[in-house]
């Protein structure tokens, strides 16, 4: 039935060719049919001819040889296509290459199923579109040309022929298009007389798979007399490209304990050959697995899709029992559907067995011991645990919690990220006198939750016994700091304060002695037995040792322990102001021209080191002036300033003006001061005070001085 169908198809095609070309064609070198169709039964019988391929080089077919692209077929010297083994896959295509001493050509054989027979016949009768043979008489016949890629020299070599049925003397063929006069130029050329088409170099289907050229006929003047007619040239693929893995590195992850058949990753390669042929039909396989334990076949790869899946039981995917959690697979990709003649490329797939939290952390012992001195903070013990999970994951990292024995929050526990140990610390100093022992209950968990079938057990809790060691603690002042308010200038020997310090070591019977630690001004002393502080000098609020009215001193309380312990107390004395500073006057020198029109000599200011109300408002006064005439007066400007004014121009001389300034304290304090006044000559805006007359001394000041001496 199969052979009969093949003969029927061949006969129909040959009749079509004869009908189309009988009137116009002479012998055309090459296959007399470019496309052959075979109706495929359920299987081909091995070593049986299935098709007769007709090739004629128009010179006797001397040394004719055939090559077929599919290794499941061969072509005998008489053109019989023979199946070498049973083939059942429908839809295949193969190419037959024929070469003699005078011609070379390529034909395509399509294997179709029974339900495709009618469609195949329709294709056969669509001669104009498929074969380029006109259904009506035309002058130019340009049948499609098939050229295998990667042909070897010599070049140029003939690949086909264009014929013209109507001969015109002097007519010439002209070829144009991409590959001729368009880039890439010069690949094809045509003999303008015979119409032979030749290729000048090897072709690469992966660069250009098809060329669409045009053939026309011109007269001697170059005028087109026929055409253009389309000439299709197809490059036949050869298996000249290996598969390529382009997307590496390939790393996949699978969780330990995953079910058999779990997809890990996909490996895909690329083949630049024709995807419609077996040249690019890839099949995948695992060439090597490292390591080979616990099974040499831990994984399987889908030969068509490239999916890598697990093939062992979940119990064998146990990360903790594996030699290593990393497997390397050498994956091979072979074209030609995986046949031996196919080209192969390899790539490495790295598969990591990811950890899941299927092991609870466990303390290395049930009870830990720690000793700490009272009053000390910091880490006191490191708690150790074991965990069989992956140290790089949250399934291994430990989280510690104090679940009992820490009501005062004196303890904290943190995880050492390097060792996973629990660092137990004292964060609030412990007191031996309150409690000499502490018992903590601590639990450990993982950052990640355990898998449902695993639970935390008794080994995930531990007890810590802490012993507090008694130390000699220093006495403590109550209160600290201590504050007191005193007036400055209190008598020497006055009691400032009696301090009180107690020893926290209540279980030890110790005595306390006091001493001065820092007394910047040297004003104080302390009774070493009872802690009474007294003055040894006058307290002065205006002293540079007093800041913001507060004087600060430090005292020590020392117990009788061995060695003795010391406590420090701070005393702040706030000093109240007393009016013990006379006001001062500024400036004490003034200058004026002897012919001055403005007789306002100077503005005087007063200041006082005391505080209100022992400072301003100040009272400014002049002592009585001698002589019949008054020479100056003083007038108040505000609470702190007054102005001295001359009542007339004076002769060039130095004058001393006695002025008294009194503060507002109770009782008030007065300061008697002389203002030195220089009367100078002024010429051309220049003041000359160098040659003043003899000093004019106020008689009032002289009388006051004599009175003071007399009173002494």
């Amino acid at each position: 039935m199969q052979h009969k169908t093949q003969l029927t198809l061949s006969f129909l095609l040959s009749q079509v060719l004869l009908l189309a070309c009988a009137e116009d064609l002479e012998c055309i070198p090459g296959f007399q049919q470019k496309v052959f169709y075979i109706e495929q039964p359920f299987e081909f019988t091995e070593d049986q001819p299935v098709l007769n391929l007709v090739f004629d080089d128009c010179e006797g077919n001397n040394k004719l040889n055939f090559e077929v692209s599919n290794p499941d077929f061969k072509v005998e010297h008489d053109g019989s296509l023979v199946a070498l083994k049973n083939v059942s896959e429908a839809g295949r295509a193969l190419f037959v290459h024929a070469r003699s001493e005078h011609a070379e050509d390529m034909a395509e054989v399509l294997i179709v199923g029974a339900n495709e027979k009618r469609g195949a016949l329709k294709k056969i009768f669509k001669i104009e579109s498929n074969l380029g043979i006109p259904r009506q008489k035309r002058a130019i016949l340009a049948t499609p040309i098939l050229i295998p890629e990667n042909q070897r020299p010599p070049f140029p070599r003939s690949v086909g022929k264009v014929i013209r049925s109507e001969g015109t003397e002097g007519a010439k063929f002209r070829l144009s298009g991409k590959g001729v006069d368009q880039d890439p130029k010069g690949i094809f050329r045509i003999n303008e007389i015979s119409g032979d088409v030749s290729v000048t170099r090897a072709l690469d289907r992966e660069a250009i798979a098809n060329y669409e050229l045009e053939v026309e006929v011109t007269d001697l003047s170059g005028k087109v007399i026929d055409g253009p007619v389309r000439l299709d040239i197809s490059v036949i693929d050869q298996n000249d490209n290996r598969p390529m893995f382009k997307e590496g590195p390939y790393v996949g992850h699978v969780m330990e304990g995953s079910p058999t058949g779990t997809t890990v990753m996909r490996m895909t390669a690329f083949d630049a050959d024709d995807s419609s042929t077996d040249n690019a039909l890839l099949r995948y396989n695992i060439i090597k697995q490292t390591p080979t334990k616990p099974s040499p076949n831990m994984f399987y790869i889908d030969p068509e899709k490239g999916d890598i899946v697990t093939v062992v039981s979940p119990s064998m995917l146990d990360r903790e029992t594996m030699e290593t959690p990393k497997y390397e697979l050498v994956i091979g990709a072979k074209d030609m559907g995986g046949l031996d003649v196919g080209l192969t490329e390899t790539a490495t797939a790295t598969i990591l067995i990811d950890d899941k939290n299927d092991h609870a952390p466990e303390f290395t012992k049930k009870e830990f011991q720690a000793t700490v001195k009272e009053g000390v903070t910091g880490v006191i013990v490191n708690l150790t645990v074991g965990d069989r999970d992956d140290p790089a994951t949250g399934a291994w990292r430990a989280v510690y919690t104090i679940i009992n024995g820490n009501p005062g929050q004196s303890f904290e526990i943190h995880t050492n990220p390097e060792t996973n140990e629990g660092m137990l610390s004292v964060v609030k100093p412990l007191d031996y006198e309150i409690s000499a022992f502490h018992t903590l209950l601590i639990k450990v968990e993982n950052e990640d939750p355990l898998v449902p079938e695993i639970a935390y057990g008794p080994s995930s809790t531990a007890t810590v016994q802490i012993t507090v060691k008694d130390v000699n603690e220093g006495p403590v002042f109550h209160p600290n700091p201590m504050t007191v308010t005193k007036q400055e200038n209190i008598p020497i020997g006055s009691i400032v304060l009696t301090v009180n310090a107690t020893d926290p070591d209540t279980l030890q019977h110790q005595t306390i002695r006091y001493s001065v630690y820092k007394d910047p001004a040297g004003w104080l002393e302390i009774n070493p037995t009872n802690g009474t502080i007294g003055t040894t000098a006058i307290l002065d609020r205006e002293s540079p040792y007093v800041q913001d009215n507060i004087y600060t001193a430090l005292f020590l309380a020392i117990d009788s322990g061995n060695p003795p312990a010391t406590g420090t107390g701070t005393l702040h004395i706030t000093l109240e102001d007393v009016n013990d500073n006379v006001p001062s006057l500024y400036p004490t020198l003034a200058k004026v021209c002897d012919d001055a029109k403005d007789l306002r000599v100077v503005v005087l200011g007063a200041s006082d080191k005391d505080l209100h109300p022992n400072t301003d408002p100040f009272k400014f006064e002049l002592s009585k002036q001698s002589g019949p005439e008054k020479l100056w007066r003083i007038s108040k400007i505000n609470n702190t300033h007054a102005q001295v004014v001359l009542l007339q121009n004076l002769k060039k001389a130095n004058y001393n003006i006695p002025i008294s300034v009194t503060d507002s304290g109770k009782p008030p304090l007065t300061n008697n001061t002389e203002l030195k006044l220089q009367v100078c000559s002024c010429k051309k805006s220049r003041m000359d005070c160098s040659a003043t007359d003899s000093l004019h001394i106020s008689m009032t000041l002289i009388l006051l001085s004599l009175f003071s001496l007399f009173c002494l």
Side-chain angles (χ1 to χ4, degrees):
M1 175 64 184
Q2 167 213 348
H3 187 61
K4 185 178 180 180
T5 302
Q6 172 260 324
L7 293 175
T8 301
L9 291 171
S10 300
F11 173 77
L12 288 172
L13 182 58
S14 63
Q15 293 302 310
V16 171
L17 291 172
L18 290 173
L19 290 172
C21 306
E23 299 180 8
D24 304 315
L25 302 182
E26 298 177 357
C27 179
I28 301 175
F31 282 106
Q32 303 305 299
Q33 182 176 334
K34 295 297 184 183
V35 182
F36 295 86
Y37 289 86
I38 304 173
E39 179 186 353
Q40 177 186 306
F42 290 103
E43 63 180 21
F44 291 133
T45 303
E46 188 173 338
D47 292 329
Q48 281 293 315
V50 295
L51 186 65
N52 186 38
L53 305 173
V54 180
F55 179 88
D56 189 358
D57 67 355
C58 304
E59 298 288 341
N61 288 347
N62 190 28
K63 296 183 180 180
L64 175 62
N65 289 311
F66 295 94
E67 295 178 354
V68 61
S69 64
N70 193 319
D72 296 337
F73 296 87
K74 71 177 181 178
V75 180
E76 303 290 356
H77 291 293
D78 62 356
S80 298
L81 180 67
V82 178
L84 298 179
K85 63 179 181 179
N86 293 338
V87 179
S88 60
E89 183 180 353
R92 285 191 171 210
L94 58 137
F95 298 94
V96 179
H97 181 213
R99 178 187 294 176
S100 70
E101 286 184 335
H102 301 284
E104 182 179 4
D105 200 5
M106 180 78 74
E108 181 179 11
V109 179
L110 299 178
I111 305 171
V112 298
N115 58 349
E116 299 177 277
K117 177 179 178 182
R118 183 173 300 176
L121 290 174
K122 288 182 179 180
K123 289 183 180 179
I124 293 175
F125 285 105
K126 291 181 65 176
I127 296 175
E128 182 174 1
S129 60
N130 287 335
L131 300 179
I133 303 176
R135 300 180 69 179
Q136 59 184 15
K137 184 177 180 180
R138 295 195 61 176
I140 300 175
L141 180 62
T143 60
I145 297 174
L146 302 177
I147 306 175
E149 65 173 335
N150 304 322
Q151 287 181 312
R152 294 189 294 269
F155 292 103
R157 64 168 60 195
S158 177
V159 293
K161 187 172 185 177
V162 178
I163 62 175
R164 184 169 185 268
S165 60
E166 297 177 358
T168 302
E169 187 175 353
K172 297 180 179 181
F173 289 100
R174 185 165 64 191
L175 191 62
S176 62
K178 181 178 180 181
V180 181
D181 55 356
Q182 300 176 21
D183 289 334
K185 297 179 180 179
I187 296 178
F188 304 102
R189 62 190 184 194
I190 190 169
N191 186 303
E192 62 182 14
I193 303 302
S194 66
D196 286 328
V197 178
S198 59
V199 62
T200 63
R201 58 179 181 263
L203 302 181
D204 183 1
R205 189 204 67 85
E206 285 71 45
I208 301 177
N210 296 284
Y211 297 86
E212 295 181 2
L213 308 181
E214 289 187 345
V215 181
E216 54 192 14
V217 178
T218 67
D219 58 19
L220 292 177
S221 66
K223 180 180 178 181
V224 177
I225 60 177
D226 197 2
V229 171
R230 175 173 161 180
L231 173 62
D232 291 325
I233 298 178
S234 297
V235 183
I236 304 304
D237 185 43
Q238 289 188 345
N239 192 19
D240 59 344
N241 290 277
R242 290 183 178 276
M244 296 178 62
F245 289 94
K246 292 184 174 182
E247 301 175 357
Y250 297 91
V251 179
H253 294 262
V254 61
M255 187 70 68
E256 64 172 331
S258 295
T260 304
T262 299
T263 299
V264 180
M265 60 189 298
R266 171 171 287 188
M267 295 280 288
T268 55
F270 167 77
D271 195 310
D273 290 320
D274 187 353
S275 60
S276 65
T277 69
D278 287 353
N279 294 339
L281 182 61
L282 304 183
R283 292 294 181 263
Y284 302 93
N285 69 307
I286 298 176
I287 298 175
K288 182 180 179 182
Q289 171 190 304
T290 305
T292 58
K293 296 179 180 180
S295 168
N297 300 301
M298 299 285 291
F299 307 95
Y300 165 80
I301 187 168
D302 187 305
E304 296 184 3
K305 297 180 181 179
D307 289 337
I308 299 176
V309 300
T310 62
V311 293
V312 294
S313 64
S315 62
M316 295 182 68
L317 279 178
D318 186 354
R319 189 183 181 282
E320 286 72 38
T321 61
M322 287 179 170
E323 178 181 317
T324 173
K326 181 173 76 173
Y327 287 84
E328 289 190 348
L329 306 180
V330 178
I331 305 298
K334 182 181 286 188
D335 58 21
M336 296 301 294
L339 296 176
D340 292 342
V341 295
L343 301 178
T344 302
E345 187 57 84
T346 62
T348 299
T350 300
I351 299 177
L352 301 175
I353 311 302
D354 291 337
D355 187 37
K356 64 180 179 180
N357 197 7
D358 55 352
H359 295 90
E362 297 180 348
F363 283 102
T364 57
K365 51 185 178 180
K366 286 298 295 179
E367 185 173 291
F368 294 84
Q369 304 290 333
T371 301
V372 59
K373 293 181 179 180
E374 64 173 333
V376 175
T377 60
V379 177
I380 59 174
V381 66
N382 290 322
L383 310 180
T384 54
V385 296
D387 196 316
R388 297 172 61 191
D389 291 313
D390 184 2
T393 66
W396 178 81
R397 291 190 290 270
V399 178
Y400 297 87
T401 306
I402 302 173
I403 59 178
N404 196 13
N406 191 28
Q409 306 302 310
S410 298
F411 303 93
E412 286 184 359
I413 187 167
H414 300 281
T415 304
N416 185 322
E418 300 295 329
T419 64
N420 218 29
E421 294 177 341
M423 301 182 295
L424 181 63
S425 302
V426 176
V427 294
K428 293 181 181 179
L430 304 177
D431 192 340
Y432 172 85
E433 284 70 31
I434 295 177
S435 177
F437 298 97
H438 297 268
T439 300
L440 304 181
L441 183 61
I442 297 177
K443 71 174 181 179
V444 61
E445 298 174 313
N446 289 132
E447 285 185 3
D448 293 345
L450 293 172
V451 295
E453 59 270 21
I454 303 297
Y456 292 103
S459 296
S460 294
T461 59
T463 301
V464 182
Q465 298 291 347
I466 301 168
T467 301
V468 182
K469 293 181 65 176
D470 189 24
V471 297
N472 188 21
E473 301 171 83
V476 179
F477 284 88
H478 304 282
N480 194 18
M482 302 160 283
T483 59
V484 66
T485 300
K486 296 292 180 180
Q487 278 193 343
E488 65 174 334
N489 298 334
I490 59 175
I492 296 174
S494 299
I495 300 299
V496 177
L497 178 69
T498 297
V499 299
N500 179 35
T502 60
D503 193 334
D505 298 308
T506 56
L507 301 181
Q508 303 177 29
H509 301 287
Q510 300 183 129
T511 59
I512 296 176
R513 294 182 63 81
Y514 301 95
S515 65
V516 177
Y517 180 41
K518 287 186 180 179
D519 179 18
W523 293 341
L524 305 173
E525 64 180 359
I526 187 169
N527 186 300
T529 304
N530 60 22
T532 299
I533 299 174
T535 62
T536 60
I538 298 297
L539 306 182
D540 183 6
R541 190 198 65 82
E542 289 76 33
S543 168
Y545 298 107
V546 177
Q547 301 294 326
D548 298 326
N549 304 324
I550 296 175
Y551 179 70
T552 301
L554 302 179
F555 297 89
L556 298 179
I558 307 168
D559 65 20
S560 57
N562 185 20
T566 301
T568 303
T570 302
L571 173 63
H572 295 307
I573 304 175
T574 301
L575 295 176
E576 295 180 340
D577 187 41
V578 174
N579 193 18
D580 56 350
N581 292 279
V582 297
S584 59
L585 195 69
Y586 60 91
T588 58
L589 174 65
K591 295 180 180 181
V592 67
C593 294
D594 55 1
D595 58 352
K597 295 180 180 180
D598 186 357
L599 299 180
R600 290 175 295 184
V601 176
V602 67
V603 173
L604 299 177
S607 62
D608 197 318
K609 293 182 179 180
D610 294 319
L611 299 175
H612 288 287
N614 297 321
T615 56
D616 61 89
F618 298 111
K619 180 179 179 182
F620 299 89
E621 292 181 301
L622 289 173
S623 301
K624 291 184 178 181
Q625 303 178 46
S626 62
E629 295 183 0
K630 293 184 178 180
L631 300 178
W632 43 69
R633 73 166 183 265
I634 190 168
S635 57
K636 181 178 179 181
I637 297 177
N638 53 34
N639 289 343
T640 57
H641 291 79
Q643 178 138 31
V644 176
V645 179
L646 292 181
L647 300 179
Q648 61 185 25
N649 288 106
L650 300 177
K651 294 180 180 181
K652 184 179 180 182
N654 290 335
Y655 299 86
N656 288 332
I657 304 174
I659 299 174
S660 65
V661 56
T662 304
D663 62 23
S664 298
K666 294 182 180 180
L669 296 179
T670 300
N671 182 16
N672 295 309
T673 305
E674 284 190 344
L675 172 65
K676 182 178 181 181
L677 177 63
Q678 290 183 332
V679 179
C680 308
S681 61
C682 300
K683 294 180 180 180
K684 296 181 180 180
S685 301
R686 184 174 181 181
M687 180 177 284
D688 181 11
C689 304
S690 60
T692 56
D693 293 336
S694 58
L695 181 64
H696 287 252
I697 301 175
S698 169
M699 290 303 295
T700 304
L701 184 59
I702 294 173
L703 292 173
L704 288 173
S705 300
L706 291 174
F707 178 75
S708 299
L709 291 172
F710 178 77
C711 292
L712 293 174

